[in-house]
Structure formats: C-alpha cells, structure tokens
Amino acid sequence: MKTQIVQVDERHINKELIQQAGNIIQAGGLVAFPTETVYGLGGNALSSEASGKIYAAKGRPSDNPLIVHICRIEDLQPIVKEIPEAAQKLADAFWPGPLTMIFNKTKLVPYETTGGLDTVAVRMPSHPVALAFIEAAGGYVAAPSANLSGRPSPTLAKYVAEDMTGRIDMILDGGDVELGLESTIVDMTAKEPIILRPGYITREMLGNLLPSVNEDSTIMSDESGQAPKAPGMKYRHYAPRAELTIINGETSRVIEYINGELCRLKKEGHKTGVIAADDTIDKYHADIRKTIGKRNDEIGIARELYRVLREFDDEKTTVIFSEAFDTAGVGQAVMNRLLKAAGHKILQI
Ligand code: AMP
Ligand code: MG
C-alpha cells in the first residue's frame, strides 16, 4: 500500500485536502492525523472492518479497545446508553480537550472497536486539524496512537511515517503536537468516576468538579496483583528498544550509582544512554545523554518524553538509565508512562 504524506497547516486548513482524508475514512481506509496529545491512527469507528484494519496496521492485540473521536457534543448521544450528570460536567469543562470518558455503548458501535467490551471510550480532541478531519470523515473516528504496538506514541509525523509507511493510506502532517502524552481516561460507568490512565487533565482538576474521583490501583505500581481496568495498560508500552531502568533517590547518589553502572556496561560493549533533567545531565558519563527539560516543569517533560525515547532507538542505544521525576500534577502521567516504558524496573537507592 502506498502511504501519502501531506502537510496541513492548522492556521489555514486546506478544506479540500481534509475532505480527501475524510473520504478515505468513509471508504474504509486509514488516515493518521495530529491531535493535541499525540498522533492518532484513524478509521471509521462504526465499521468493524475498519477497526480490524487498525489493529492489523498497529499489530495491536484485539482485546485492547480503541478510543472513538467525535467533533460535536451532539454526536455523543447516539453511541452511548446514557450520559451521567458527572460526564456532562466534565464534557462542559474539558471538551474539546485531552480527556477520554468511558460510557456504556449502544449497538451503533461494533465490538471490534471496543475490544469486545460493552463500554466505549470517547474523546473530543481540540486540535483544529483533528476536528475538521473527524467532521469530514462522518463524525466517528476510532483512533489509537499511530505507533506500532508497544513503541512510544508518535509526537511528530516523521515517527508516524517510521512505523506506518506501507500500512495506511495517508498521514496528515500537522507538525509538533502540543502536549505529547495521551489523554486522561476516566471510567464514567462506575458509581464514582475512576481514572484509568493519568494525563494532562489531573485528578485535582477532575476533583474540582466532582464530589469524588478514584484511581485505578495499577497506575503507578504493578504490585497490586490486579489487571488494569483499561485493557491497554496491561501491556508493556511506550517502550524504547533498549533496556530502560529508572533510578530514584537522593540526587548525588543517583548520579554516582548510574555512573558506576555506565562504566560497567560500557566495558561489556553496551551503547549507553541517560535521561536526566537540565541541572544534572552534564554529570553523567553515558555515550548518549538526553535532557528532558527543567526538573520542575512537568508539562515540558511530558512534551519531550516520547521524542527522547524514540531518539534513543534511532541512535541504537542498548541500555538506558533515567532519573525519576516528580509525580505531582501532570508529573503523575509522566512517571506512569516512564514506568511502563521501563517495564516497572525502578530502583530505590
Ligand atoms: P491508545 O489510543 O493507544 O492511547 O489506547 C487507548 C487506551 O484506552 C487503551 O489503554 C485502552 O485500553 C483504553 N480504552 C479504550 N476503550 C476502553 C474501554 N471501553 N474501557 C476501558 N479502557 C478503554
Ligand atoms: Mg497507544
């Protein structure tokens, strides 16, 4: 399959081009597109064949459901059994934006889209190209992140092309994404909403609007012995090809420990890498050092994380050590992804 890559400028959206992309979806094809979180891999959410194609293109396990993207609030009603009051509140506050909510689905949504579940995940993105594209596509676009299953989500069109060339019909290149981490997922079907995946919309932000918000116990630890409620969260995810370990502790000891390991691993023939904040990056003796930004700027760190992980792949690094970062606010989402990328390998020293 030939994959067409086209540039789109969000300030001057070429309507003809977007309609062309929309027509591909309506004809059962696949188009990758920019959102404010990461690039999505879109297909018609109401077609079981199109959803099947998405799983095939990504190599994604078929029990890992897709998020349905809409562009108008009135398009929610037909695909969900009920809209709880709390969900209406969150939609008013955070849509369009980086929040996904889980509802009981209607028959309109095929089980192929929901990985066999009776619930459906829905989000209205805020990126102008995404909104125009979803409208041109008929209103319902199923879209997981546009990476091969298990790899870091793409924050640039070139990373989509790396994973998806020859597998999908078109890539809409809208440049850098704004946030760089996937949406917050909240299950609205429980009595009290539950955060299944942390993101830019934090527990505090949700708690300001709702009487109570719970959190899936598997978000920051794999030790509860329970399966995550979002099926996708059980897979090793967001992972670079190299073996990644997070080292947590007092800064000078972390530096000393990592440098000792780097020395040992270099002798064994490894190509070594380090991920650290601006203020400590120069202290490490790795072959490749990558700063992820200022330590207290979680939003900046969120934006850089996947790019940094992908670059280590490009540079054929074989082992990586990362500092741990603060888990306040958006930091929780950053550490959740970093822990998954490391397969929960974190060392307290
Ligand atoms: P991605 O689009 O690649 O970010 O993956 C979508 C995420 O949403 C995965 O972790 C899924 O498991 C989760 N998800 C989608 N639909 C549901 C659902 N109905 N119930 C629980 N989690 C879901
Ligand atoms: Mg994904």
Side-chain angles (χ1 to χ4, degrees), residues 40-57:
L41 171 53
N44 180 358
L46 306 187
S47 151
S48 46
E49 290 82 31
S51 288
K53 282 190 193 172
I54 293 177
Y55 287 102

Side-chain angles (χ1 to χ4, degrees), residues 201-222:
I201 307 290
T202 62
R203 185 175 189 171
E204 294 72 36
M205 290 158 84
L206 298 167
N208 286 339
L209 294 170
L210 304 177
S212 72
V213 190
N214 296 318
E215 216 169 60
D216 189 308
S217 62
T218 62
I219 283 179
M220 301 305 279
S221 157
D222 66 345

Side-chain angles (χ1 to χ4, degrees), residues 60 64-65 67 102 117 119 121 143-145 185 196-197 229-232:
R60 180 171 173 116
N64 186 358
I67 294 173
I102 310 239
L117 299 175
T119 54
S145 48
I185 303 180
L196 306 188
R197 177 173 75 184
K229 291 198 176 62

Side-chain angles (χ1 to χ4, degrees), residues 58 60 144-147 151 153 182 197 237-238:
K58 278 182 65 90
R60 180 171 173 116
S145 48
N147 50 284
R151 297 209 65 204
S153 299
E182 303 85 347
R197 177 173 75 184
H237 232 115
Y238 321 116

